[in-house]
Amino acid sequence: MTAPDDPGLWFHRAPGPPRTPRLRLVCFPHAGGTARLFDGWRHRLPTTVEVVAVRYPGRQERLDEPCVESMTELADRITGALAGYDDVPLALFGHSMGASVAYEVARRLEAGAGPAPVHLMVSARAAPGHGGRTTLHRAADEVLLAAVRRLGTLGGVDPFAEPELRELLLPVLRSDYRLVETYAPAAGAAPLRAPITAYLGDRDPGCPGGRVRAWEGFTTGDFALRAFSGDHFYLAPREAELTSDIAERLAPAPVATARGTTAT
């Protein structure tokens, strides 16, 4: 049986030839989402960037495991699995719920639980303490689904329209909402040292720009905010633009040469 903190259990790599990366981008899916959301990124980002996506328990390859409903437990376990990934620098990208998880993992890594990330990228998520409180995880099925549908659909597909898929996916969605809605950010937590880039869709009904901009107060490093055309799931139709922006932000800084010119 695979140990709970085994990277092979927690992290998914899109199919393809092995790479020798200079940087590893760890991607965190949204509530109800899966690691395969990021499969296309491998072909869009430079070959020097390895994309690994987090496999949350309770879905796909981990369907026989219970979902994790505590942010503390989930962040602790993912951090433990990342501890051995110290061969190259890490950057973190999280979408929606995944942004909160990525932030909590970044906090733990910077506190000494593993290699500190060089960049945190958060998408379609208000900064901790700025999103308001909801209790949708306790609502009736149709109320919860109506709230999710109001945000938009991933690739124009509503997976809950099919009764068999709905039966499989709804408990996972509810568990993830319970995790998000019971998450209480640590009071007085020190800002991260890593720079933060925040992304959002300009028509996202659940994530106003001001609440996303509040991430600026969670780092002592650089901060940037970038909006794309789209709703809460803008990252699917805008994948090429988003990954291009990420690649630029993760590119190595120019190195000064002896003659005063620069090289990359």
Side-chain angles (χ1 to χ4, degrees):
M1 183 174 178
T2 310
D5 59 352
D6 186 334
L9 179 68
W10 279 97
F11 303 116
H12 164 77
R13 291 175 174 81
R19 293 181 172 181
T20 304
R22 65 163 185 84
L23 182 142
R24 185 170 289 114
L25 178 63
V26 184
C27 299
F28 298 72
H30 55 282
T34 72
R36 293 177 188 172
L37 170 67
F38 302 101
D39 276 1
W41 289 28
R42 185 182 196 277
H43 307 290
R44 293 190 183 276
L45 290 169
T47 57
T48 53
V49 176
E50 180 184 47
V51 179
V52 298
V54 177
R55 289 175 169 144
Y56 300 138
R59 62 214 79 189
Q60 293 191 321
E61 297 91 342
R62 306 185 70 176
L63 189 61
D64 60 342
E65 299 178 51
C67 293
V68 177
E69 297 182 346
S70 157
M71 178 66 81
T72 297
E73 178 186 349
L74 185 61
D76 283 349
R77 293 176 67 183
I78 294 171
T79 303
L82 282 173
Y85 275 19
D86 57 359
D87 55 329
V88 295
L90 295 178
L92 310 180
F93 175 96
H95 180 66
S96 195
M97 177 187 88
S100 297
V101 183
Y103 164 70
E104 286 296 331
V105 170
R107 285 185 57 233
R108 287 157 171 77
L109 292 174
E110 283 202 351
V118 298
H119 207 122
L120 173 63
M121 299 179 172
V122 292
S123 168
R125 189 71 180 167
H130 292 263
R133 305 295 293 183
T134 59
T135 55
L136 288 167
H137 70 278
R138 296 203 297 263
D141 290 351
E142 291 306 325
V143 174
L144 173 58
L145 290 178
V148 171
R149 287 169 175 146
R150 188 172 72 90
L151 298 176
T153 58
L154 188 59
V157 176
D158 179 5
F160 299 100
E162 296 291 333
E164 290 184 0
L165 278 177
R166 172 179 167 138
E167 183 179 354
L168 183 67
L169 298 177
L170 187 56
V172 174
L173 180 69
R174 187 177 296 280
S175 291
D176 286 352
Y177 264 75
R178 183 176 290 109
L179 182 149
V180 169
E181 292 178 333
T182 59
Y183 164 50
L192 297 175
R193 299 185 299 276
I196 295 178
T197 299
Y199 298 103
L200 74 154
D202 60 5
R203 298 190 305 278
D204 185 342
C207 204
R211 295 180 179 181
V212 181
R213 183 176 289 280
W215 281 102
E216 185 172 9
F218 286 77
T219 178
T220 58
D222 292 337
F223 174 80
L225 177 68
R226 175 78 190 272
F228 292 92
S229 175
D231 58 24
H232 191 71
F233 295 105
Y234 75 91
L235 77 172
R238 303 300 174 197
E239 182 176 278
E241 299 163 64
L242 174 60
T243 51
S244 176
D245 189 88
I246 290 172
E248 183 176 340
R249 296 182 192 279
L250 296 181
V255 178
T257 68
R259 298 191 176 194
T261 59
T262 60
T264 57

